[in-house]
Amino acid sequence: MRNPWVHDDVPDDPGRGYDGPVRLLAAFMWGSLALLVGGFVLLSGAGVVDLADGGSLGEVVTGVVAALAVALALPVLLKLLAISRALAALAFLVTGASVGRFVIAREPERFRALLDARDGLAENAGALGDLFDVVDSLSPAMTDGATAVVDGAIAAVIAFPAA
């Protein structure tokens, strides 16, 4: 009598059934897990992440949950990529938006600090624009003289033999 649970198409060496993309995905998942655990151990050992402080523990939990959500969505996104690029792009955008919204909701003070830093960079960019205006307002004779000096210095450096 034939066993209905045993298939005839089972290869002679069933231990080698996980070749190709499955093995690559497993290597990626185990590698990312090793990097996350190793990074956490290194950061906590260096004092960057202090587990006694409740805020940094919340940051660690947020980072781990967000990374886990992205890692779990990756196989689905890769399968959708095989079906349709547009569908995969849409799923990627939705996944990124949902994980980003989760992170922003859990860490609002961190993003406020980023926005404040952005405002400071905008002020510095304005000062840099003022510097360009000053250079533009210089007389052409002065800029031509400076250009000649710079060209001469570059020619001297190029002409100097390398030791």
Side-chain angles (χ1 to χ4, degrees):
M1 185 168 139
R2 184 169 177 248
N3 187 349
W5 300 106
V6 176
H7 300 287
D8 292 335
D9 58 349
V10 174
D12 293 334
D13 189 10
R16 295 183 42 114
Y18 292 106
D19 287 337
V22 175
R23 186 170 289 212
L24 180 65
L25 183 62
F28 172 75
M29 296 299 287
W30 280 108
S32 62
L33 180 64
L35 284 175
L36 284 172
V37 171
F40 177 73
V41 168
L42 286 175
L43 289 175
S44 62
V48 174
V49 176
D50 186 15
L51 294 180
D53 184 18
S56 65
L57 181 61
E59 292 172 7
V60 169
V61 169
T62 301
V64 167
V65 169
L68 186 62
V70 169
L72 290 175
L74 186 65
V76 174
L77 292 174
L78 290 175
K79 188 68 172 177
L80 286 174
L81 188 61
I83 297 170
S84 167
R85 285 186 225 153
L87 190 59
L90 180 66
F92 177 75
L93 290 175
V94 168
T95 301
S98 61
V99 170
R101 185 174 181 189
F102 168 76
V103 171
I104 289 173
R106 294 253 321 172
E107 304 290 334
E109 61 275 349
R110 199 181 238 184
F111 287 95
R112 284 191 191 101
L114 282 174
L115 291 175
D116 292 341
R118 183 198 62 177
D119 294 339
L121 286 173
E123 291 171 5
N124 290 340
L128 188 61
D130 293 341
L131 177 65
F132 287 142
D133 291 340
V134 168
V135 170
D136 286 340
S137 68
L138 293 174
S139 70
M142 186 173 185
T143 55
D144 289 341
T147 304
V149 169
V150 170
D151 288 343
I154 290 173
V157 168
I158 292 173
F160 189 72

